[in-house]
Structure formats: C-alpha cells, structure tokens
Amino acid sequence: MNAKPKKRIVTESGDGGEDLALATSIGNGEDLGPIVRHAFETGRPEALLHQLKTVVKKKEVEIEELCKLHYEEFILAVDELRGVLVDAEELKSELSSDNFKLQEVGSNLLLKLEELLESYSIKNNVTEAIKMSKQCIQVLDLCAKCNNDIFEARFYPALKTLDLIEKSYLQNVPIKALRTLLGKRIPAIKSHVEKKLCSEFNEWLVHIRSTAKDIGQTAIGHTALARQRDEEMRVRQREAEEQNRSALGDFAYNLDVEEIEEESIVKFDLTPLYRAYHIHACLGIQEQFREYYYKNRLLQLNSDLQISSTQPFLESHQTFLAQIAGYFIVEDRVLRTAGGLLLPNQVEVMWETAVTKTSAVLEEQFSSMDTASHLLLVKDYVTLLGATLRQYGYEVEPLLETLDSCKDKYHELLLGECRHQISDVLANDTYQQMIMKKESDYSMNVLSFHLQTTDIMPAFPFIAPFSSMVPDCCRTIRSFIKDSVSYLSYGGNMNFYEVVKKYLDKLLIDVLNEAILKTIHSGTLGVSQAMQIAANIAVLERACDFFVRHTAQQCGIPSRSVERSQASLTAKVVLKTSRDAAYLALINLVNTKLDEFMTLTQSISWTADDIPQNGNDYINEVIIYLDTLMSTAQQILPLDALFKVGCGALEHISNCIVAAFLSDSVKRFNANAVMGINTDLKMLESFLDDRFHSTGLSEIYEEGSFRGCLVEARQLINLLLGSQPENFMNPVIREKNYNSLDHKKVASICEKFKDSPDGLFGTLSNRNTKQSTRKKSMDMLKRRLRDFN
C-alpha cells in the first residue's frame, strides 16, 4: 500500500512546480482568488483546472489512506451514531408532545399578553399626553404672566419671561402649531416693548429738559448761598483783623462759623432712563440706545443754547444759564450712575460745545451792552454757573476767560458812568467848605474815607477844609472799587488786586483828574473856588492811600501786607501835578484880581512935590485883599500851598511895581514918587512879616520870608534912592545888592528918573550937597548903561 502512493508521487511530480505551489496554498488555507484571476488573465484556465483536478486526486488518495488506517474506529463510530439516531427520534417525539401541550396552554397567555401590551401602549400615550400638556400649560402660564407684565408696564419681568420661554421652553414645545405661534409672537412682543419704552423715554426726555431750568436754578441758588456765607466769613475775619490791628496789644480772635452739612438739594428722577437702558440691554441693543440717547441729548443741548430773539438777554440770561447748568448736572449724574450709558469723552464733547457757544453768546451780548450794571449782573450769574458746575468736575476756566476778556469793556462802561457822576458832582459843587452839624455827618463824610487829620473827635458844628465834592467823589470811587472787585472776583484771575489797582488808577487819572483839570481850565472859577479846588485836590491826594487799603480789603488782602509793600497809586503823583496846576490857576486868578488894584498905580503922582505920608491908595487895597486871601487860604490850604500862593501874588505885585515904572504912560518921575512907593513897600513888607510869623510859615521856612518875593521892586527902589546909583555897574556890588534887576529895565527906568528942583529940599546946604552928589551918580549910571546897551 505504501509503494503505490510513492509511485504516483513520483509520476505526478513531473507535472511541474506549479502543482506543488497550488497544493501548498490549499494546504495552508490561503485564498486562491489571485491564482484564479491570474490564470484567466493569462488565458490558461485549462491549466489551472487541470492543476485543481490533480490536487483533488491527491487529496482523495490521502483520504483513502487515512480511512484505511482508521477503519475499525470508523465502524464503531457509525454504530454509535446509529444508536444516537434512535435516541434522537425518541427525544423528538417527546419534544413534539411537549410542544403541543405548551402551545395549547400558551394560546390563552398570548391573548392576555396582547391585551397587556395594548394597555401598556395606551398608558405610554396617556403619560406622554400629560407630559406634553404640562409643558404647554407651563409655556402658556409664562405667556399669560408676560402679557400681564406688559399690560402693567413691567417690561423687565416680561422680557425675562420671554427670554425664559425662548431659551428653555420654545424648542421643547411638543405642539408644532404652538411652537410656531410662539416663534412669531416673541419678536413682535419684544418690538412692542421697545416701542413702548422709546415712547416713555421720549416723554422723559421732554420732562427732564423742562425741569433742567429748575434743577440749574436750585443748584446755582445753593452755590450763591454758599458764596454769601464765605463772604460773610471773610468780612468777619477782616473786621477781626482790623480790631486786632488797631488794638494796643496782640489779641487772638476766633471766628464762629456755623457748620453746615451740605446735602445735595438737587433732586431729579432718572428711573425711566435707568429702566429704558437696562431693558435695551436685556434686548441686546444697548449700543443702539446709547447712540439714541446721546444724539437726542445733543440736539436738546443745541436747542438750549439758542437764545430768544424776542426777549432781551438781560431778562433771559438767568433762564438761559440755569438751563445749561441743569443740563450738565443731569449728564454728570447719568455718567456716574447709568452704568456706561454715557462715556466721559461724550460728556466732554457736549461740554466743549456748550462752552464754545455760550462764550460766543456772552461775547456778542457783552459787546452790545451799554450799562456796566447790566454786564455785572450777567457776569455774576455766569460765575455762579461756573462755581456750580466746577463742583461736578467740569472745566469752567474757558468760560471764565470770556469774562476776563470782557473786563476792559465793563470797566470802560463803569468809567463812563463814573465820569458822568463826577462831572455832575463838580458841576453842582458850590466850592465852599462843608459844615457838619453832627457826628453822623462827620462819620459819613470824613471818617468813612479816613480824611481826618487827627483821631480826636472835633466839636460841632465842624467846618471841613474841603467842599462837598470830596466825599461825593470818594463815594463814587468807593463804589467803583466795589463794582470792579465784584466783576473780577470769582473769575479766572485769582490775584486781581493789581488789576483793580490798575483800573482805580485809570479812574483817578483819566476821569477824576481830567474832570478837575477841565474845571480848573474852564475859566469860570473865582479865586475862592480855585482855592477850594486846590484844597480838595490835596485831600483827594491823601485819600489815595485809603483807596489802596480799601481795594486790598475788598480783594481779601490784609491791610498790613499793603502797608509793608508801601503800595501807592500813580494817580497820587498825577493829582499832585494837578494840585500844582490848581495852585497856578489860583495864582493867576489872584494876580488878575491884584491887577485890578495895581491899576490904581496909574493915579500915582509921579512928579509929586511932597512925599505921601501914608503911602499910595492902591497899597491899602492890596493889603486888605492879601489879608483876606491869606486868612482864607490858611483855613483850607496846607502851609506849603499858602506859601506858594503868597509868593506868586507878591512876585506879581513886585512885577507890577516894576512895570509901573516901565509903563509908557509914565514919562518921568522924581524922588518923591519913589519915596512914596518905598513907603508902600515898607507897609507891605511889615504886613507880610506879621503874616509870615502868625501863619507858622516861619517855623517851616526858617531861612525864607515873603520879603524875598518883592526883591526886584525892593532892589529897584533901593537903587533909585541910593546915594551912589552908579555902583550898579560894579559887578560885585550888583551881584550882592541888585542881582534881580535887568540892565535894560534899569536903563529905561533911570532915563525917566528926573531929580527934583532945589526948592524941594529947602535951603539946607547938606541936603543940596547930597542931592547934587546923587544926581551926578545917577547921571553917571545913565551914561554907562547907555554905553553898555
């Protein structure tokens, strides 16, 4: 049996390596698909089929050999298998019987099961229906709540309900129709809420604009009260300082200032705004609402900044400025509390717009105003507006700079009003010394301006050295200082003392001084009036120190600071110059009056046979007038002014006497006429010496006297009556005794001098000899003067 397979293997091995490879693949259980595909692709399926048949034959041989090897075991297995088949048949019969019985019993159970399944299905459907109904009921309850909230204008809860429905319920609504309906109605409801809110917000915009004026007036009124308290405190502090300053020692002082808790009295309701903004935020359109709010408020601002053309600005300025104040107080509250509704740069833009337009309005209105009080009224309210809004953090300096730029216009108007007042004062003044009958008059006209020269209260009635012009002008100047300080205070310039001083100087120089000079040069004044004006100027010059102190006090600067700095006004020097002009005018008027008396020199007998024993008539009139003049001047003029006026009058008298000798009407004169004028001069000199000592001038001018003012006339008389007139040509003697005489005048006068005949002096030989000697000397002088000239 083993030989045959060996033969066949040898015989078949000659078919080639492909059969071996195929057999190996089949033995290994490999996939023959690629081999089959390759055979058909190469067009050799027959070869493959032949190889497969060969392999089958080989496997059949192997099976046969295997069966031969296990034949007995196989037979036993078949027998056992037959036994198993018998058992299987029996089991099958039993199973068939059991199955019949089971089916017979299970048919009833199956009916019950079907009924159970149907009931279970119904139960599930009912449960699902209940669940869906509950969901719908919840949604419908929320819808009802939303409708109720909207009806009662509770928009925020309504929107929260809508949001809850949309996010948590809408997608889970089991009924498509309801889900579709809700999907359509939710946007419509939100749109309705938005429109309703916009309507309410627009009503709030109208309301807040209408109440902005009241808000602004309330805030500005509160600021005005605070300013008043501050001013009262400063006044009390200044009074305390003045009391301590005037006391003998240093005393401490306390200011009892009431502590006032400043609670905000500016109340307004922003709830509609907060609500609208919050709900718009809930709707997701807060940016749109921000733009809407900013745009509408900016439009309102531009409308508020338009002034009425039918109402004067003086009447409407408070309403105009209060509206602006209220507007920005509201915007400040919105910026701080509305949670980002307004941005700081947006408020800045609105404020810059308001400042620019308000400044333009103020400049235009100020330029058209012609009354200082009107301009001050507007300015005060503008500064209150600035002080109010500064508390809310707004930059008000540009607005105050507008006021500062208009200060010149204001002071021009103020100076114009003062010019009219001072002109009226000067025109209505009688230029007579004021008589004060009681202490209140003295306090009002003297003490209130520090015009007193002593701290001792005088006896009444008191005759002041000035006329009513002085206190009236002082009142006008004090009022000017107050108005100037009122305009410059609370503005952009904190150190305005120097500015007020500048305008005060302008008032005193350009207004008061010019008005006084105009009066002096008007040509309508008499001697007494000119003298009184000169005295008034001296008092006003002294009052300049009071004006400086009062200005410092009004500006809040301690008086001691001004005294330490020795601050003074340029006007003081100018007034001193005007005082000199007044003295000059007075002297001219006095000289004019003296000319009336000196014309009496024409009645002098220039070739008299006898010497006038009591002087000429004119000198008595002159002395009486000078006595009256000096008595009056002594009462109202300072001693230096009295001396100046007296010297001017006496120099004029001296010139008139010399001029009388030079007059063309005097063709000749003799020694008797000269002696008469010498007597006149002695009378005048005696009167002047007495006056010089009685007025106290001798204590001031120890080395001077009124005699020196008559030096030209005196030297001329001394020359004519001298024993040796020819000494005039001696330079040393001329410089010592005749230094005031002019060669030409002396030559002209000497040519008119004709000595008297001998009979005039009698028959005494010594007189004849003296007269002859003087005549020869005079003739010598005449010849030498002719040669000199």
Side-chain angles (χ1 to χ4, degrees):
M1 290 178 69
N2 295 334
K4 286 183 179 180
K6 290 181 181 178
K7 271 184 187 180
R8 292 181 66 183
I9 292 171
V10 172
T11 304
E12 291 172 357
S13 62
D15 293 339
E18 294 180 357
D19 295 341
L20 181 60
L22 182 62
T24 303
S25 298
I26 293 173
N28 294 335
E30 296 178 0
D31 185 14
L32 301 179
I35 298 175
V36 175
R37 188 182 301 110
H38 178 71
F40 279 94
E41 287 177 355
T42 56
R44 297 172 57 192
E46 295 83 1
L48 178 63
L49 186 60
H50 176 72
Q51 291 174 1
L52 288 173
K53 288 180 178 180
T54 303
V55 172
V56 169
K57 288 178 179 181
K58 288 181 179 181
K59 292 298 179 184
E60 286 177 351
V61 172
E62 290 178 0
I63 291 172
E64 288 178 0
E65 289 180 354
L66 183 63
C67 289
K68 290 177 179 180
L69 287 174
H70 302 285
Y71 176 76
E72 292 180 358
E73 289 87 353
F74 181 72
I75 294 297
L76 291 174
V78 170
D79 290 339
E80 289 177 359
L81 181 61
R82 286 180 178 178
V84 171
L85 287 175
V86 174
D87 294 335
E89 286 294 331
E90 292 176 358
L91 182 59
K92 181 179 179 182
S93 174
E94 291 176 359
L95 287 174
S96 175
S97 175
D98 292 338
N99 180 52
F100 175 76
K101 293 177 182 179
L102 182 61
Q103 287 180 355
E104 186 178 3
V105 174
S107 58
N108 293 329
L109 294 175
L110 185 60
L111 292 174
K112 296 293 184 181
L113 179 60
E114 289 177 354
E115 292 175 0
L116 179 62
L117 291 175
E118 184 178 357
S119 299
Y120 185 75
S121 176
I122 292 171
K123 176 188 175 185
N124 287 341
N125 290 338
V126 171
T127 302
E128 186 67 21
I130 292 172
K131 181 180 178 181
M132 291 170 61
S133 298
K134 287 182 178 179
Q135 290 177 346
C136 292
I137 289 172
Q138 288 179 344
V139 172
L140 292 175
D141 286 342
L142 291 174
C143 291
K145 181 178 181 299
C146 178
N147 286 336
N148 187 54
D149 288 338
I150 291 175
F151 179 75
E152 295 180 359
R154 296 197 299 267
F155 298 122
Y156 178 69
L159 288 176
K160 295 297 286 184
T161 302
L162 285 177
D163 188 60
L164 180 63
I165 292 172
E166 192 172 16
K167 292 182 178 179
S168 302
Y169 290 93
L170 183 60
Q171 299 301 323
N172 298 324
V173 173
I175 301 175
K176 183 178 180 181
L178 180 59
R179 185 167 61 247
T180 304
L181 177 63
L182 290 175
K184 292 180 179 178
R185 293 301 297 167
I186 287 175
I189 293 172
K190 288 184 177 180
S191 177
H192 171 75
V193 170
E194 182 184 354
K195 291 178 181 178
K196 191 72 175 175
L197 278 173
C198 286
S199 176
E200 291 184 359
F201 173 69
N202 289 335
E203 292 176 0
W204 178 83
L205 282 176
V206 174
H207 169 73
I208 201 66
R209 183 186 181 191
S210 64
T211 57
K213 178 188 71 174
D214 297 330
I215 294 171
Q217 287 177 340
T218 302
I220 290 174
H222 188 58
T223 303
L225 289 176
R227 176 181 292 183
Q228 184 178 357
R229 289 195 300 269
D230 292 341
E231 289 178 351
E232 290 173 355
M233 183 184 70
R234 283 195 293 269
V235 168
R236 294 172 62 186
Q237 182 177 359
R238 284 197 297 266
E239 290 176 352
E241 287 178 351
E242 290 298 325
Q243 290 175 0
N244 286 345
R245 180 172 170 269
S246 60
L248 295 176
D250 293 332
F251 300 96
Y253 60 86
N254 293 320
L255 292 177
D256 296 327
V257 182
E258 183 181 359
E259 292 288 340
I260 299 177
E261 293 185 4
E262 298 186 3
E263 295 182 357
S264 177
I265 61 173
V266 181
K267 298 179 180 179
F268 49 91
D269 187 17
L270 293 180
T271 303
L273 176 65
Y274 299 149
R275 178 182 178 188
Y277 179 56
H278 185 59
I279 293 176
H280 276 81
C282 292
L283 291 172
I285 52 175
Q286 63 265 36
E287 286 297 330
Q288 177 182 335
F289 183 74
R290 285 195 192 106
E291 289 298 321
Y292 183 77
Y293 175 83
Y294 178 65
K295 178 181 178 182
N296 280 275
R297 288 295 282 166
L298 200 56
L299 289 173
Q300 285 186 343
L301 175 62
N302 289 325
S303 178
D304 292 340
L305 292 174
Q306 301 296 323
I307 62 173
S308 173
S309 59
T310 60
Q311 189 179 16
F313 185 72
L314 186 65
E315 298 176 5
S316 64
H317 76 278
Q318 291 191 0
T319 302
F320 172 74
L321 296 173
Q323 185 76 22
I324 296 173
Y327 178 94
F328 283 101
I329 290 172
V330 171
E331 292 311 301
D332 174 73
R333 184 80 61 84
V334 171
L335 177 65
R336 290 186 292 107
T337 63
L341 173 59
L342 262 183
L343 299 176
N345 62 334
Q346 290 177 323
V347 178
E348 189 69 24
V349 169
M350 290 191 289
W351 175 244
E352 289 177 358
T353 301
V355 168
T356 301
K357 292 189 177 181
T358 304
S359 298
V361 168
L362 291 176
E363 288 177 357
E364 180 183 358
Q365 294 300 322
F366 283 170
S367 64
S368 61
M369 288 184 181
D370 55 2
T371 304
S373 59
H374 294 172
L375 203 150
L376 178 61
L377 190 65
V378 176
K379 175 265 170 188
D380 282 341
Y381 211 78
V382 172
T383 57
L384 287 173
L385 167 70
T388 301
L389 293 182
R390 185 185 282 115
Q391 298 173 8
Y392 293 89
Y394 292 101
E395 187 70 24
V396 299
E397 276 65 27
L399 197 60
L400 299 179
E401 287 174 1
T402 303
L403 301 178
D404 191 59
S405 65
C406 296
K407 66 178 182 294
D408 289 336
K409 169 66 182 296
Y410 169 77
H411 283 90
E412 286 176 7
L413 295 175
L414 194 60
L415 288 170
E417 293 175 2
C418 292
R419 184 176 286 106
H420 289 300
Q421 294 173 13
I422 290 175
S423 297
D424 291 341
V425 167
L426 294 179
N428 296 326
D429 192 12
T430 59
Y431 298 103
Q432 296 178 355
Q433 292 175 267
M434 286 188 71
I435 299 176
M436 302 173 199
K437 297 181 180 180
K438 50 187 178 180
E439 185 177 344
S440 59
D441 295 338
Y442 183 80
S443 176
M444 180 175 64
N445 295 304
V446 179
L447 296 180
S448 60
F449 305 112
H450 295 191
L451 302 180
Q452 70 274 18
T453 55
T454 177
D455 294 333
I456 301 174
M457 185 66 68
F460 296 98
F462 170 72
I463 301 176
F466 49 81
S467 66
S468 62
M469 158 195 155
V470 172
D472 289 343
C473 287
C474 287
R475 272 185 277 274
T476 300
I477 295 168
R478 184 173 61 185
S479 175
F480 174 88
I481 294 171
K482 180 182 178 182
D483 291 340
S484 179
V485 171
S486 296
Y487 186 89
L488 294 172
S489 59
Y490 304 106
N493 188 358
M494 298 306 294
N495 184 18
F496 53 90
Y497 166 68
E498 293 297 332
V499 181
V500 178
K501 257 186 65 180
K502 182 188 76 171
Y503 286 115
L504 175 60
D505 249 338
K506 192 174 182 65
L507 170 68
L508 295 174
I509 295 173
D510 295 347
V511 177
L512 177 62
N513 186 66
E514 289 297 325
I516 292 174
L517 288 177
K518 183 178 179 181
T519 303
I520 292 172
H521 299 143
S522 63
T524 60
L525 296 177
V527 173
S528 61
Q529 293 173 322
M531 186 181 299
Q532 189 62 64
I533 285 181
N536 290 348
I537 295 175
V539 177
L540 289 172
E541 184 182 341
R542 192 170 68 248
C544 286
D545 295 333
F546 162 75
F547 297 144
V548 171
R549 291 194 302 272
H550 185 68
T551 300
Q553 185 184 46
Q554 291 294 309
C555 295
I557 297 176
S559 300
R560 58 181 179 274
S561 299
V562 179
E563 293 171 356
R564 281 200 301 266
S565 63
Q566 297 181 347
S568 62
L569 296 169
T570 306
K572 193 171 184 179
V573 179
V574 176
L575 285 174
K576 184 177 181 181
T577 304
S578 298
R579 176 159 56 97
D580 293 339
Y583 291 152
L584 182 60
L586 173 61
I587 291 171
N588 290 335
L589 289 171
V590 170
N591 292 344
T592 302
K593 187 66 177 178
L594 287 173
D595 286 339
E596 297 177 8
F597 302 122
M598 296 306 292
T599 54
L600 297 177
T601 56
Q602 297 176 1
S603 61
I604 295 175
S605 177
W606 294 99
T607 56
D609 294 332
D610 296 318
I611 302 173
Q613 296 299 317
N614 298 319
N616 295 294
D617 294 338
Y618 77 93
I619 197 63
N620 296 317
E621 298 291 339
V622 169
I623 291 174
I624 293 172
Y625 177 71
L626 288 177
D627 182 50
T628 304
L629 176 69
M630 290 187 177
S631 298
T632 305
Q634 185 179 359
Q635 294 179 6
I636 61 176
L637 291 180
L639 290 179
D640 60 335
L642 173 63
F643 184 71
K644 185 180 296 186
V645 172
C647 289
L650 296 175
E651 287 175 0
H652 185 69
I653 292 173
S654 176
N655 293 335
C656 288
I657 291 174
V658 175
F661 283 101
L662 293 170
S663 175
D664 294 336
S665 61
V666 178
K667 303 299 181 181
R668 56 174 291 180
F669 61 89
N670 58 19
N672 291 336
V674 176
M675 290 180 180
I677 294 177
N678 183 42
T679 303
D680 297 340
L681 280 177
K682 288 181 178 180
M683 292 173 60
L684 182 59
E685 288 169 345
S686 176
F687 164 77
L688 294 176
D689 290 341
D690 178 65
R691 276 297 180 182
F692 191 74
H693 289 86
S694 64
T695 56
L697 289 173
S698 58
E699 298 176 2
I700 300 175
Y701 303 98
E702 296 179 358
E703 297 181 359
S705 68
F706 281 138
R707 283 176 176 265
C709 302
L710 298 171
V711 62
E712 185 178 12
R714 169 49 63 196
Q715 289 181 359
L716 177 62
I717 298 302
N718 290 342
L719 176 64
L720 295 177
L721 295 179
S723 60
Q724 293 181 328
E726 62 180 319
N727 289 338
F728 177 77
M729 299 308 296
N730 186 321
V732 176
I733 297 175
R734 183 174 67 248
E735 180 63 27
K736 179 179 178 182
N737 299 326
Y738 308 109
N739 58 350
S740 297
L741 296 179
D742 179 70
H743 286 82
K744 293 182 179 181
K745 290 181 180 181
V746 172
S748 300
I749 293 172
C750 289
E751 289 295 333
K752 296 180 181 182
F753 184 55
K754 304 296 183 183
D755 205 356
S756 301
D758 293 341
L760 180 65
F761 299 97
T763 56
L764 297 173
S765 60
N766 59 340
R767 286 177 177 258
N768 292 335
T769 303
K770 187 183 294 185
Q771 180 70 16
S772 176
T773 303
R774 184 170 56 208
K775 184 176 183 301
K776 291 179 181 179
S777 180
M778 180 61 70
D779 291 339
M780 178 64 69
L781 175 61
K782 292 178 182 179
R783 287 195 301 270
R784 296 184 65 180
L785 285 173
R786 282 195 292 268
D787 295 339
F788 180 80
N789 291 330

